[in-house]
Amino acid sequence: MIFIYLFIPLFLLFYFTLRGSARLDLKIPLFTVSFLCTLITLFIYKELGGEETYSLVNDKEILKRFIADESENKEKDAIEVDRIIFEISNKKGVQAGEIYLLAKRLKDVNENELAVHAFEQLYRNFKNELGGTVLTEYAQVMFLKEERTFNNQIEKVLKEALMKSPDNPSALTLQGLKELENKNIDLTIKLWTRALNFLENERDISELKILIETVKKLKNQ
């Protein structure tokens, strides 16, 4: 597609430049010369990776605009971001960190559906390399996307997260929510109390303590 946009301005540039040469004496039509010069230029541009460079710059601009919530057409840019996720994930030699960084940025701005897509690609390509923290983030964003309800995939990933990081407070908290959904109130309290031991942020500790007390009241009713 980029070649279509470049062809016309390049062709016109060659045509008028050559036509403006007062001493130019061509044996073939000026139109043909301009056409051939344009094709040669585009071929060199492609061989030097110009198209790929342009695509990367354009994709970065789309991502920057979308994450900063500066899109004039949010839905259109969301489709483009979805394409970028797929292309990055299927790029030869892609590293886990590239996909994770994109997934993390989307998660941080609450673009949960796109974040889930990025985490899905990360999980598909690097499942065995992912630590408990990343798996927990994947489970969390799926949980939010599903409007705070659990499904088999969330439970599967959460189980893997706890196997790799049994003391992860976020995973323990999410597991507690699952048990609460299943009306296992004692287990919920146990998991959340355990999670308190590994939290460092005072606000998080305070909020979880309030949740524990609320659940205890439910139990005693």
Side-chain angles (χ1 to χ4, degrees), residues 46-191:
K46 181 180 180 183
E47 292 301 307
L48 292 176
E51 182 182 20
E52 182 178 355
T53 300
Y54 174 85
S55 178
L56 288 173
V57 171
N58 188 53
D59 287 351
K60 286 181 179 179
E61 180 58 33
I62 292 171
L63 285 170
K64 179 181 177 182
R65 182 172 66 230
F66 185 81
I67 291 172
D69 197 22
E70 297 174 350
S71 298
E72 293 182 3
N73 189 329
K74 191 80 171 181
E75 291 184 4
K76 181 180 178 181
D77 276 353
I79 293 172
E80 287 298 300
V81 172
D82 198 50
R83 171 191 60 78
I84 292 167
I85 292 169
F86 182 80
E87 290 183 357
I88 289 176
S89 302
N90 289 278
K91 183 177 67 175
K92 184 177 180 180
V94 66
Q95 300 295 313
E98 294 180 66
I99 308 175
Y100 172 70
L101 181 60
L102 179 53
K104 176 71 172 174
R105 291 174 71 188
L106 291 167
K107 176 178 178 286
D108 289 345
V109 294
N110 299 316
E111 290 293 340
N112 296 320
E113 188 167 344
L114 288 167
V116 166
H117 183 199
F119 274 111
E120 282 174 351
Q121 296 296 321
L122 180 64
Y123 186 78
R124 178 176 63 84
N125 286 303
F126 302 98
K127 178 180 177 181
N128 295 330
E129 300 176 27
L130 302 181
T133 299
V134 175
L135 289 169
T136 299
E137 288 184 274
Y138 179 23
Q140 285 176 320
V141 78
M142 280 194 289
F143 180 69
L144 294 173
K145 175 181 175 290
E146 296 300 323
E147 298 182 351
R148 300 179 182 275
T149 58
F150 288 89
N151 58 33
N152 291 337
Q153 181 64 10
I154 298 172
E155 292 178 11
K156 175 187 174 184
V157 173
L158 181 56
K159 182 179 179 180
E160 292 172 1
L162 284 166
M163 287 178 64
K164 291 192 174 184
S165 299
D167 296 332
N168 184 298
S170 296
L172 290 168
T173 302
L174 193 56
Q175 183 67 27
L177 285 172
K178 175 181 173 296
E179 298 302 336
L180 184 61
E181 185 179 273
N182 293 333
K183 302 187 185 306
N184 297 323
I185 295 178
D186 287 336
L187 185 51
T188 295
I189 295 171
K190 180 179 178 181
L191 287 164

